[in-house]
């Protein structure tokens, strides 16, 4: 259920043809190039998939791209391991675009900054009329910019503000949280308040609930915690509850609206 909040792929919708923004360094022709050199912003300590959009002015194949940058760790898809390729294969026809994704980790110590990311690539410029990947080998590199931004406030954000439960039967509800800073470990969540007769319980009959995937929450990711609401002895209506999140020595509280129908 956890999802990375860092993947963002920019695209030029409706463009009939997209050419590389500039001639790639080290390449004889601009057959393949980065379309948008600004990447989606990330948070200090965050790890996630980031997409880069590429365009071709000629037919290319066997596209392989690697990324590097100071204070960044880069990983690639499991099927390629040491590089990334295009999302729809390793070939791109003239006038078309596709994206290449990298799993980038930002050091926790990174300050607010604009970080150059070097994208080094190889590809084959297909020979005229070729039906297989034959032609001239090309290499090049281009630089993209990865913004690292700061956040204020609590390290964890409660994304669920309202839950609706039926009066006739107890139900499990999911409360979604996202970490905005590091250190959200051994997260424990309780819900209190509300009308007389409301019964709140947690998985495995514990005194608290925890996240579905793990007790900790990496920066920039979402996960949910399950809470069971029994409103069979509560009149239909809207009530305010308090959600308490405890991790390490920190305790945060947020409001939760409960709607009984």
């Amino acid at each position: 259920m956890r999802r990375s909040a860092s993947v963002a792929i920019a695209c030029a919708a409706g463009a009939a043809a997209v050419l590389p923004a500039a001639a790639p360094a080290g390449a004889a022709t601009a057959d393949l190039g980065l379309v948008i050199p600004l990447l989606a912003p990330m948070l200090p300590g965050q790890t996630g998939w980031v997409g880069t959009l590429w365009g071709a002015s000629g037919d290319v194949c066997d596209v392989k791209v690697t990324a590097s940058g100071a204070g960044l760790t880069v990983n690639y898809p499991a099927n390629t391991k040491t590089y990334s390729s295009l999302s729809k294969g390793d070939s791109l026809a003239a006038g078309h675009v596709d994206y290449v994704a990298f799993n980038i980790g930002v050091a926790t110590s990174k300050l607010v900054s604009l970080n150059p990311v070097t994208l080094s690539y190889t590809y084959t410029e297909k020979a005229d009329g070729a039906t297989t990947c034959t032609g001239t080998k090309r290499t090049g590199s281009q630089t993209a910019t990865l913004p690292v931004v700061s956040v204020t406030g609590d390290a964890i954000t409660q994304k669920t503000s309202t839950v609706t439960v039926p009066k006739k039967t107890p139900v499990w509800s999911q409360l979604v949280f996202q970490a905005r800073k590091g250190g959200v470990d051994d997260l424990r969540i309780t819900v209190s308040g509300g009308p007389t007769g409301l019964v709140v319980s947690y998985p495995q009959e514990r005194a608290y609930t925890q996240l579905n995937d793990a007790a900790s929450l990496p920066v920039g990711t979402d996960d949910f915690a399950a809470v069971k609401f029994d409103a069979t002895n509560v009149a239909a209506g809207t009530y305010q509850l308090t959600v308490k999140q405890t991790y390490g020595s920190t305790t945060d509280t947020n409001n939760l609206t409960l709607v009984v129908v």
Side-chain angles (χ1 to χ4, degrees), residues 155 182-188 244-253:
V184 183
D185 300 316
D186 193 24
L187 179 63
R188 301 186 180 195
K244 182 170 71 174
Q245 305 111 45
T246 301
Y247 49 97
S249 60
T250 302
T251 297
D252 297 327
T253 58

Side-chain angles (χ1 to χ4, degrees), residues 58-150:
D59 293 344
V60 299
C61 57
D62 194 25
V63 175
K64 299 177 180 179
V65 189
T66 60
S68 61
L72 307 176
T73 58
V74 181
N75 288 292
Y76 305 99
N79 62 327
T80 54
K81 297 183 179 179
T82 58
Y83 65 90
S84 288
S85 193
L86 301 163
S87 70
K88 299 176 182 178
D90 65 358
S91 301
L92 193 60
H96 289 73
V97 296
D98 198 358
Y99 71 88
V100 177
F102 306 94
N103 189 266
I104 296 180
V106 179
T108 304
S109 58
K110 268 283 187 184
L111 302 177
V112 175
S113 54
L114 296 174
N115 299 271
V117 179
T118 301
L119 303 173
S120 301
Y121 55 88
T122 63
Y123 66 93
T124 297
E125 176 189 348
K126 292 183 70 172
D128 291 342
T131 57
T132 60
C133 189
T134 57
T136 305
K137 295 288 186 181
R138 303 291 189 191
T139 63
S141 66
Q142 290 188 260
T143 301
T145 299
L146 174 69
V148 174
V149 299
S150 65

Side-chain angles (χ1 to χ4, degrees), residues 2-248:
R2 179 179 300 165
R3 297 176 298 177
S4 169
S6 66
V7 178
I9 301 165
C11 59
V18 179
L19 301 181
T29 59
D31 299 294
L32 180 71
L34 191 63
V35 175
I36 301 175
L38 182 65
L39 306 182
M42 298 184 72
L43 302 169
Q46 183 176 0
T47 298
W49 288 98
V50 176
T52 57
L53 191 69
W54 298 76
S57 60
D59 293 344
V60 299
C61 57
D62 194 25
V63 175
K64 299 177 180 179
V65 189
T66 60
S68 61
L72 307 176
T73 58
V74 181
N75 288 292
Y76 305 99
N79 62 327
T80 54
K81 297 183 179 179
T82 58
Y83 65 90
S84 288
S85 193
L86 301 163
S87 70
K88 299 176 182 178
D90 65 358
S91 301
L92 193 60
H96 289 73
V97 296
D98 198 358
Y99 71 88
V100 177
F102 306 94
N103 189 266
I104 296 180
V106 179
T108 304
S109 58
K110 268 283 187 184
L111 302 177
V112 175
S113 54
L114 296 174
N115 299 271
V117 179
T118 301
L119 303 173
S120 301
Y121 55 88
T122 63
Y123 66 93
T124 297
E125 176 189 348
K126 292 183 70 172
D128 291 342
T131 57
T132 60
C133 189
T134 57
T136 305
K137 295 288 186 181
R138 303 291 189 191
T139 63
S141 66
Q142 290 188 260
T143 301
T145 299
L146 174 69
V148 174
V149 299
S150 65
V151 294
T152 59
D154 297 335
I156 186 170
T157 298
Q158 179 182 311
K159 300 182 74 173
T160 302
S161 59
T162 303
V163 293
T164 300
V165 302
K167 176 178 169 56
K168 63 181 180 179
T169 182
V171 293
W172 288 96
S173 297
Q174 297 179 355
L175 306 183
V176 179
F177 300 87
Q178 182 183 89
R180 308 305 306 279
K181 301 177 184 177
V184 183
D185 300 316
D186 193 24
L187 179 63
R188 301 186 180 195
I189 299 159
T190 57
V191 178
S192 61
T196 301
L198 177 68
V199 178
V200 178
S201 55
Y202 310 108
Q204 302 174 6
E205 299 184 353
R206 292 179 304 204
Y208 56 86
T209 184
Q210 290 189 289
L211 298 172
N212 181 66
D213 289 342
S216 61
L217 190 58
V219 177
T221 59
D222 293 359
D223 199 359
F224 74 86
V227 179
K228 187 177 183 180
F229 294 100
D230 183 348
T232 54
N233 295 315
V234 175
T238 300
Y239 306 92
Q240 293 301 314
L241 310 180
T242 298
V243 180
K244 182 170 71 174
Q245 305 111 45
T246 301
Y247 49 97

